Amino acid sequence: MTNSIDYLYEDEDILVCHKMAGMATEGAKAGRMDLVSAARNYLARKDKMNTKGRQRNLPPYVATVNRLDQPVEGVIVLAKNKKAASDLAQQIKLHKTEKYYYALCLGIPAESKGHLADLLIRRADNGLADIYKEDEKIETIGGEAKKAELEYEVIATKGETALLKIHLLTGRFHQIRIQLASRGYPIIGDDKYGNEKSREYAEKAGIENVCLVAYKYVFKHPSTKKKVEFEITPKNAAIGELLNCENT
């Protein structure tokens, strides 16, 4: 375990991590450690007595299966070989994996349960996700609008805030953040998609990262083909407080 990663599970094919908010999945800026680099270092230290590996002077193989934005906490699965990476990538492509999130929003949805579906684009002017509108001509990154779907359930409320449990049905760029913000329920701590009120709330509460946690990931193990799931308890204090209220 490090300050930014808890290693939840490891075998010959996968390494499952609990990434803390504030750490990039990969490609961190100079002077900062990202999850992939940290995991590679962790595996190298474990394998330092492996003579074959030392003679070949090769770093451990580490490939991302799912990614999380830098300010988002949650479960990340890393593949330790190309076969596992290919198998898991195919599962994702065929929508065979299941991803669940907690999101703490400012504003309480009128419906306690719902299904959100939108067409999303990525704007060329600022690089952010946006809801596609036929009457707007906006230069985009990545071509045509793509369908984005999720299911949500309000599981706890406090004052003006609501804790949502989300089943992500598609994996679009910044999908949860823009879909909730566009309906007037921005995630607290989200500077990119929040509004003035949600930013003020986060500042007063001392919240620095997005209150969004990928708390459960379900897939078939690449070798055994058995369904496995990994679930974490969020470190995010604001989410944890409402979760404790919901469970008591």
Side-chain angles (χ1 to χ4, degrees):
M1 184 176 75
T2 72
N3 291 333
S4 297
I5 308 172
D6 287 350
Y7 296 106
L8 306 175
Y9 174 82
E10 180 185 355
D11 61 25
E12 293 183 355
D13 298 297
I14 59 173
L15 176 63
V16 184
C17 310
H18 176 179
K19 181 186 85 70
M20 306 306 166
M23 177 180 243
T25 300
E26 56 185 325
K29 294 179 181 178
R32 301 193 66 176
M33 181 65 71
D34 57 53
L35 179 132
V36 169
S37 299
R40 191 171 284 121
N41 291 343
Y42 162 78
L43 293 173
R45 288 194 299 271
K46 286 190 63 179
D47 296 341
K48 65 181 180 180
M49 300 307 294
N50 184 320
T51 304
K52 183 179 178 181
R54 187 169 62 247
Q55 288 176 340
R56 293 173 63 192
N57 196 31
L58 293 175
Y61 181 93
V62 175
T64 54
V65 173
N66 63 313
R67 300 186 185 188
L68 294 175
D69 300 332
Q70 184 166 327
V72 176
E73 173 191 349
V75 177
I76 288 186
V77 180
L78 300 174
K80 293 175 62 180
N81 55 65
K82 291 182 179 180
K83 184 179 178 181
S86 177
D87 182 279
L88 291 166
Q90 186 69 5
Q91 289 187 54
I92 292 171
K93 182 179 179 180
L94 297 176
H95 304 289
K96 298 295 185 181
T97 63
E98 299 174 38
K99 293 171 278 188
Y100 298 87
Y101 288 74
Y102 291 124
L104 181 60
C105 304
L106 187 65
I108 301 173
E111 301 292 333
S112 61
K113 293 183 179 181
H115 176 272
L116 305 184
D118 294 289
L119 290 175
L120 298 187
I121 58 171
R122 188 171 179 185
R123 302 176 63 104
D125 56 357
N126 58 18
L128 298 182
D130 204 351
I131 305 295
Y132 170 74
K133 303 178 185 66
E134 280 191 36
D135 57 344
E136 288 185 355
K137 292 186 178 180
I138 299 173
E139 187 178 350
T140 65
I141 300 171
E144 296 181 355
K146 298 175 182 177
K147 191 172 184 179
E149 292 186 84
L150 63 80
E151 297 171 338
Y152 76 86
E153 178 183 0
V154 178
I155 60 172
T157 61
K158 180 181 179 182
E160 299 177 274
T161 67
L163 181 62
L164 276 56
K165 182 184 290 186
I166 293 170
H167 180 196
L168 193 63
L169 302 177
T170 55
R172 307 305 182 195
F173 176 75
H174 289 179
Q175 175 183 336
I176 299 174
R177 297 164 70 176
I178 184 60
Q179 286 194 280
L180 295 179
S182 68
R183 288 166 170 81
Y185 314 120
I187 299 175
I188 296 170
D190 192 344
D191 285 337
K192 293 182 183 296
Y193 298 96
N195 55 32
E196 184 177 352
K197 190 175 180 181
S198 68
R199 293 187 186 98
E200 288 178 356
Y201 185 99
E203 185 176 355
K204 289 179 181 178
I207 295 172
E208 297 181 354
N209 288 300
V210 180
C211 288
L212 180 66
V213 175
Y215 75 91
K216 185 163 70 172
Y217 198 73
V218 184
F219 57 96
K220 285 187 177 180
H221 191 281
S223 289
T224 68
K225 307 305 178 185
K226 292 182 179 179
K227 189 175 183 179
V228 293
E229 64 177 64
F230 296 93
E231 184 170 351
I232 60 168
T233 300
K235 302 288 187 181
N236 183 290
I239 288 178
E241 180 183 356
L242 278 179
L243 274 176
N244 289 335
C245 293
E246 192 262 341
N247 292 327
T248 56

